[in-house]
Amino acid sequence: MNGSYMGDEFGPRRRGPGAGRSGAGLWEAMEQLRDMFEQRVGTRMGRGDVRAAVLALLAEQPMHGYQIIHEIEERSHGMWKPSPGSVYPTLQMLADEGLITAEESGGKKTYSLTDEGRAETEQSEDRSAPWEMPGMRDAAKATAIPKAGAQLAQAAAQVASTGSPEQVTEAVAVLDEARRRLYSILAQD
């Protein structure tokens, strides 16, 4: 190699996490995998979906705003996490329409359906909640492996950049075993 090459066996050196250490290329690969995953996962829902989701959740039990956001994210398997900037105005709009009420306790507003709100949710029971729509379910299933792979790559990059030589050797063996086991899944009938 000539003297101007700045890299190691994992690729060129760069700035950021892992920069200047063995495994910098692994960090870059992990970041590319995460970026690809986030581009494919970037499901954006419409305003009506936030409204429908809030009403569906409040039909089950009273909740505060961040509980609603967390529940939507969890039920959509991480495919959709509405921002506070979309949830709180929706809650205000529903309150203005008389469909929900807010009760403050311990510095948090807990929202619950009014009788009118309950009647509206009962009228729309035949419609699926936004996280139950076929496209959302299929997308959540399709992204489970890339998401797990990105998390695995992140852990591998951490071991590569901060682990001892023995830990790196052990991590390589674990990754090799994981690869073999994944292919054996496909080989099963």
Side-chain angles (χ1 to χ4, degrees), residues 85-150:
S86 65
V87 170
Y88 285 102
T90 300
L91 289 167
Q92 184 60 53
M93 179 186 67
L94 292 170
D96 292 346
E97 292 174 18
L99 300 177
I100 66 170
T101 60
E103 186 178 306
E104 191 158 341
S105 174
K108 291 183 182 179
K109 284 186 180 179
T110 301
Y111 300 90
S112 56
L113 292 178
T114 62
D115 290 338
E116 287 178 49
R118 196 157 304 286
E120 181 164 320
T121 60
E122 287 170 2
Q123 288 175 357
S124 61
E125 278 184 345
D126 58 329
R127 284 182 263 155
S128 297
W131 55 82
E132 294 173 345
M133 292 179 181
M136 183 65 76
R137 283 193 308 255
D138 296 344
K141 188 167 55 170
T143 60
I145 288 179
K147 185 176 181 179

Side-chain angles (χ1 to χ4, degrees), residues 2-127:
N2 69 32
S4 64
Y5 179 77
M6 292 299 292
D8 57 22
E9 67 273 20
F10 294 105
R13 292 187 186 191
R14 57 180 211 63
R15 299 204 288 184
R21 292 181 230 139
S22 177
L26 189 56
W27 273 105
E28 188 171 305
M30 187 269 306
E31 287 173 4
Q32 288 173 349
L33 181 61
R34 186 180 61 231
D35 289 346
M36 288 178 3
F37 170 73
E38 287 173 353
Q39 286 172 3
R40 282 200 287 158
V41 172
T43 304
R44 216 171 142 80
M45 305 299 281
R47 284 183 202 260
D49 294 321
V50 174
R51 176 188 170 95
V54 168
L55 288 171
L57 290 173
L58 294 179
E60 295 175 11
Q61 68 180 25
M63 295 183 180
H64 58 79
Y66 278 97
Q67 261 182 304
I68 292 169
I69 293 168
H70 178 74
E71 269 306 305
I72 292 171
E73 180 181 25
E74 188 146 313
R75 291 181 188 209
S76 70
H77 305 284
M79 294 294 303
W80 177 32
K81 182 180 181 182
S83 70
S86 65
V87 170
Y88 285 102
T90 300
L91 289 167
Q92 184 60 53
M93 179 186 67
L94 292 170
D96 292 346
E97 292 174 18
L99 300 177
I100 66 170
T101 60
E103 186 178 306
E104 191 158 341
S105 174
K108 291 183 182 179
K109 284 186 180 179
T110 301
Y111 300 90
S112 56
L113 292 178
T114 62
D115 290 338
E116 287 178 49
R118 196 157 304 286
E120 181 164 320
T121 60
E122 287 170 2
Q123 288 175 357
S124 61
E125 278 184 345
D126 58 329
R127 284 182 263 155

